[in-house]
């Protein structure tokens, strides 16, 4: 390991690389990590010196707050390599802002922009060999923060650890996705933490999702917890519904994550001349539209899967199959989006940011 | 460190004890831990050999699931020493059952009873010098479990770590407790995880609680998230309301933790001839009762604080002060309960279990 100093980040390089052990043709999502990670601790009331160092386990006391009271947030973003080997981020400012929004809701420290952004960029540059060119290929970026204070008392931690880890991914094919519409379980409360990318939101969904899995559904579409009549979002995706030629999606709220892909698709759809309507969508409307043949498509939208077409939904024990479409809006929008992200089409929106 | 083997638990003793560094007269809740901890890992589809070893930090990979998706649950229970230095647990079966109920809801492995109970007892025996006699003194026991599988994909972990750590505590005096009744924020969704002792439930409350703290209130009493009309529970306590001479408390539900102290106080109250009424209590009733003078007491009930009298509540920016009572039911019940727990009164209920 060699220690050097660039601007304010201390860089400790790994002695060897693991890159040759990785089969880039067969990446399983989120399971392979690059040689280095970025780390910055909040301690004694201030952010400490940021460091990039070899990816490795770290020590935590058994009474560390994150284990007991769940202060933990994360982001999910991607970097892409163009034909000239330049590295690009997609709307990183959106993830940065959302990260700190999550931090506030979870009573955690906000991370200064400079630490977040320069950490991210330095790390991507150091591990740039791990980013592969070509459509569908990208580097999945996982910034996250955990409470590192100790003591089993239910109060916000004084100390935090902010980290960024990198995981190379290739085009994500989820297989056929059938969804179950939630009738009893829910993901978020009014006045709760549904709009934060908080770790606890995900664990809360695992059990009801596993029940859906057992019935043959890959995902759950959550509904509002009070009435279960309004369609909200899926596990890690916002959801779009195409009825005739209009795209509908729920407005974001304190129960729904403000997805970057969702907001991007809304803008892309408008620029493609597609009618979009952002308003609460009722389960009853969906059932009705399916019955009368006006429901053409449902798809999920999120950083990991990009756009994920859904083949049918189940509600009150009835399965509603979606038609096969020649002109799928999901695929049209996915194509536009991934071309911009992978720098295969011009980015007239100014979404891509060079590292 | 010496390694010995008792029954099935491997015991690795600490070379030295930290007990002489501890000021038992000035214990801050949950901040001091004993010399040893109990640990049992779930790996490769089965529970591994349990071990008691020196309390120490442990290594985790940065992609460990608990950091990213929040699978983490815990319990809070206490052990007491009687005048003959025998160690007693209070209704440990209730905590054990609730722990596994939480595990199921969070899609985690259930811990076998033998591992939980014999781990607990062996650990208490080994660190018995840390348990002090006398009313108010006890050993706070924190069993917890975290997801230790790696990989940033939002699925339940395959691996888990179950641990028990011990923290000596003395009588807990919270100071004056004024509470704010939640009008916007909430703790739990219908169909959510409110009834589980899941780490994420606590982090979710920190921000709204900090807003209440800034207004001069120590705690928030949560209301149902859909209408904010029904009184539910506080941060780590169930809540009782005394109107005239009847004690009211909300029924447990999927939004409310089924507290051991709550259920114990209900039984104790009945045996004391106190009228109890378990039904949803409306905020409007509370305000009305305060106005007409029939509201005599509010108190929280939980393992940490035992019984915590509340001096007043705020709702819609009006502060309602509670009367000072000569015959406080809170103190009457607290006294009965702590006498049983500390083995200073006969336990006719069979709640106390010798270690
Ligand atoms: C709950 C939830 N909804 C929606 C999304 C989609 O957001 P984005 O498009 O920013 O990735 C995500 C994930 O990333 C998510 O976790
Ligand atoms: C949310 C919540 N409610 C109530 C309680 C009280 O439960 P018990 O009496 O079992 O400690 C606790 C804590 O322990 C809690 O965390």
């Amino acid at each position: 390991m060699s220690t050097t100093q660039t601007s304010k980040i201390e860089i400790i390089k790994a002695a060897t690389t693991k890159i040759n052990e990785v089969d880039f043709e067969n990446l399983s999502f989120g399971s392979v990590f690059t040689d280095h990670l970025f780390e910055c601790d909040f301690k004694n009331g201030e952010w400490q010196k940021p460091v990039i160092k070899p990816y490795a386990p770290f020590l935590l006391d058994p009474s560390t707050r994150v284990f007991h009271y769940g202060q933990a947030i994360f982001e999910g973003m991607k970097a892409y390599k163009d034909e000239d080997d330049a590295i690009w981020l997609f709307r990183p400012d959106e993830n940065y802002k959302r990260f700190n929004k999550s931090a506030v809701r979870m009573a955690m420290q906000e991370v200064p922009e400079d630490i977040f952004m320069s950490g991210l960029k330095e790390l991507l540059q150091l591990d740039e060999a791990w980013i592969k060119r070509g459509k569908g290929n990208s580097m999945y970026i996982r910034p996250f923060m955990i409470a590192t204070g100790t003591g089993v008392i239910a109060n916000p931690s004084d100390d935090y650890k902010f980290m960024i880890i990198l995981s190379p991914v290739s085009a994500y094919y989820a297989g056929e996705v059938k969804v179950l519409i939630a009738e009893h379980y829910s993901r978020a409360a009014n006045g709760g933490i549904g709009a934060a990318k908080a770790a606890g939101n995900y664990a809360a969904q695992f059990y009801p999702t596993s029940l859906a899995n057992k019935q043959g559904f890959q995902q759950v579409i959550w509904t509002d917890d009070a009435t279960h009549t309004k369609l909200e979002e899926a596990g890690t995706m916002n959801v779009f519904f195409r009825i005739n030629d209009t795209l509908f999606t729920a407005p974001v709220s304190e129960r729904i994550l403000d997805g970057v892909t969702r907001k991007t698709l809304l803008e892309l759809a408008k620029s493609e001349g597609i009618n979009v309507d952002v308003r609460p969508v009722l389960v009853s409307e969906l059932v009705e539209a399916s019955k009368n043949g006006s429901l053409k498509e449902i798809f999920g939208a999120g950083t990991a899967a990009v756009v994920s077409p859904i083949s049918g939904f189940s509600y009150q024990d009835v399965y509603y199959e979606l038609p096969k479409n020649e002109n799928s809006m999901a695929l049209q929008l996915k194509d536009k989006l991934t071309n911009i992200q992978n720098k295969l089409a011009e980015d007239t929106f100014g979404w891509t940011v060079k590292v």
Side-chain angles (χ1 to χ4, degrees), chain A:
Chain A
M1 290 199 286
S2 68
T3 305
T4 58
Q5 196 96 11
T6 75
S7 64
K8 299 176 317 185
I9 305 174
E10 183 187 2
I11 299 185
I12 306 167
K13 282 198 185 148
T16 54
T17 176
K18 300 171 294 186
I19 198 167
N20 300 320
E21 295 159 27
V22 177
D23 177 2
F24 282 88
E25 303 301 309
N26 293 291
L27 292 168
S28 144
F29 191 93
S31 62
V32 168
F33 297 93
T34 66
D35 291 324
H36 300 91
L37 57 75
F38 174 81
E39 179 184 67
C40 193
D41 287 329
F42 186 87
K43 245 192 282 194
N44 307 321
E46 59 187 8
W47 288 100
Q48 306 295 306
K49 187 169 183 53
V51 55
I52 287 175
K53 60 185 189 183
Y55 184 99
F58 58 99
L59 283 168
L60 287 177
D61 188 271
S63 76
T64 301
R65 298 282 170 109
V66 65
F67 301 146
H68 301 271
Y69 306 115
Q71 280 181 296
I73 59 170
F74 68 96
E75 268 302 326
M77 49 206 297
K78 283 180 176 170
Y80 309 83
K81 219 174 218 177
D82 70 15
E83 293 305 307
D84 302 320
D85 282 342
I87 303 167
W88 297 84
L89 289 164
F90 187 74
R91 309 188 80 172
D93 49 318
E94 294 287 340
N95 296 93
Y96 171 68
K97 280 186 279 178
R98 191 170 65 188
F99 191 76
N100 275 349
K101 217 180 115 189
S102 299
V104 169
R105 183 61 185 85
M106 304 312 286
M108 301 170 80
Q109 280 298 322
E110 291 177 74
V111 175
E113 184 161 7
D114 177 46
I115 291 177
F116 189 101
M117 289 298 179
S118 54
L120 187 56
K121 289 175 183 177
E122 290 270 5
L123 183 62
L124 285 167
Q125 264 152 3
L126 189 61
D127 282 340
E128 67 84 23
W130 293 74
I131 314 176
K132 301 299 176 191
R133 281 189 303 252
K135 199 157 166 169
N137 289 330
S138 64
M139 179 62 78
Y140 182 77
I141 303 164
R142 172 57 59 96
F144 68 103
M145 181 161 54
I146 57 172
T148 48
T150 56
V152 294
I153 181 150
N155 283 334
S157 175
D158 287 330
D159 301 340
Y160 296 93
K161 186 183 285 297
F162 171 64
M163 272 193 171
I164 306 175
I165 55 178
L166 303 178
S167 179
V169 295
S170 45
Y172 183 99
Y173 177 61
E176 192 179 31
V177 180
K178 297 179 183 179
V179 298
L180 186 71
I181 294 181
E183 292 166 48
H184 171 74
Y185 290 105
S186 8
R187 172 184 182 278
N190 298 300
I193 59 168
K197 235 171 133 65
N201 282 335
Y202 298 83
Q205 300 176 65
F206 290 166
Y207 176 67
T209 303
S210 76
L211 297 180
N213 293 161
K214 278 183 198 139
Q215 292 180 262
F217 304 100
Q218 285 70 44
Q219 298 259 350
V220 175
I221 296 189
W222 303 105
T223 49
D224 66 295
D225 82 302
T227 67
H228 293 293
T229 57
K230 287 178 229 144
L231 295 156
E232 307 221 299
E233 60 173 321
T236 58
M237 299 189 292
N238 296 103
V239 189
F240 287 80
F241 308 93
R242 173 183 167 196
I243 298 179
N244 290 321
D245 284 328
T246 300
L247 269 188
F248 294 86
T249 193
V252 294
S253 72
E254 60 178 358
R255 290 193 309 266
I256 301 182
L257 195 81
D258 186 0
V260 180
T261 315
R262 172 188 174 282
K263 98 174 41 159
T264 301
L265 292 185
L266 285 174
E267 291 188 55
L268 270 181
K270 278 180 209 158
S271 81
E272 294 283 298
I274 295 170
N275 249 344
V276 296
D277 197 350
V278 176
R279 65 157 173 82
V281 183
L282 302 178
V283 183
S284 57
E285 285 182 87
L286 198 69
V287 168
E288 186 51 35
S290 177
K291 285 184 179 161
N292 69 27
S294 59
L295 180 67
K296 306 295 184 195
E297 294 179 63
I298 306 178
F299 56 91
T303 297
V306 191
V307 172
S308 177
I310 287 165
S311 56
F313 68 93
S314 174
Y315 179 65
Q316 289 183 341
D317 294 325
V318 180
Y319 182 68
Y320 300 85
E321 177 92 24
L322 286 161
K324 307 271 170 282
N325 291 287
E326 304 249 307
N327 301 306
S328 154
M329 282 185 187
L331 298 186
Q332 177 190 353
L333 292 171
K334 179 173 187 167
D335 205 51
K336 289 276 159 197
L337 176 58
T338 50
N339 280 338
I340 292 173
Q341 289 173 329
N342 287 95
K343 300 301 281 184
L344 301 170
E346 202 198 336
D347 169 18
T348 54
F349 301 89
W351 288 329
T352 52
V353 175
K354 203 167 185 168
V355 172

